[in-house]
Amino acid sequence: MIYRAMTGDDYEAAYRLWENTDGMGLSEADSREHIIRYLERNPGISQVCVKEDGTLMGTAMCGYDGRRGYMYHVAVDSGSRGSGTGRELVRRCLAELREAGITKCHLMVIEDNALGRSFWTRIGWQERDGLLLFSK
């Protein structure tokens, strides 16, 4: 497996992975234009995992606002789950955030995404109570 920074060239394969990942919420904000803008605003922080033949196996979108990091669309192809790919993608994103001076990172998981909640708990993230998410 090859781990590297995500680029705009990864978009189509990443979107296919996201579409086929249970519990993944997609919206207009996940259009090619928006994702490329996000990658450009946060260069080198989002990560992908590809096979030697170039097949995309996992993604982790990550960036920061100058104060806190945020992670999105951490997904691993169903055939590669349990291999440590997701954990390594997250580790690499967090290392990039630390390099930028960011020490805290948040992420959102859809409430009924049991697989996602289990993954994050298993790798040491804590589910927070007492917070509400508002969107506009």
Side-chain angles (χ1 to χ4, degrees):
M1 298 289 209
I2 300 165
Y3 294 89
R4 61 171 172 75
M6 185 176 185
T7 70
D9 291 339
D10 295 311
Y11 176 77
E12 284 78 15
Y15 196 87
R16 281 192 304 275
L17 173 63
W18 300 336
E19 283 182 310
N20 292 303
T21 299
D22 289 338
M24 182 75 59
L26 297 173
S27 71
E28 179 184 323
D30 299 304
S31 70
R32 179 179 180 77
E33 173 188 351
H34 287 102
I35 295 296
I36 289 173
R37 187 177 331 150
Y38 184 82
L39 294 173
E40 289 171 350
R41 187 170 190 266
N42 298 280
I45 300 176
S46 296
Q47 300 288 308
V48 295
C49 176
V50 296
K51 288 183 177 179
E52 288 188 22
D53 68 3
T55 303
L56 186 126
M57 302 308 293
T59 64
M61 301 267 313
C62 190
Y64 64 96
D65 61 11
R67 185 172 162 265
R68 296 283 187 255
Y70 298 90
M71 204 169 303
Y72 308 92
H73 294 353
V74 176
V76 174
D77 178 82
S78 61
S80 297
R81 290 186 189 142
S83 67
T85 301
R87 183 185 299 260
E88 179 62 14
L89 288 166
V90 170
R91 187 198 67 74
R92 293 173 62 88
C93 287
L94 294 176
E96 292 293 332
L97 289 175
R98 276 191 304 280
E99 182 73 22
I102 305 299
T103 59
K104 188 167 190 171
C105 185
H106 299 290
L107 59 95
M108 291 171 264
V109 177
I110 294 173
E111 190 172 14
D112 66 356
N113 180 353
L115 184 63
R117 290 172 83 168
S118 173
F119 170 76
W120 292 109
T121 300
R122 194 170 57 255
I123 67 168
W125 289 62
Q126 295 179 346
E127 189 172 325
R128 300 273 307 261
D129 291 327
L131 295 176
L132 298 175
L133 174 67
F134 290 79
S135 300
K136 184 173 183 178

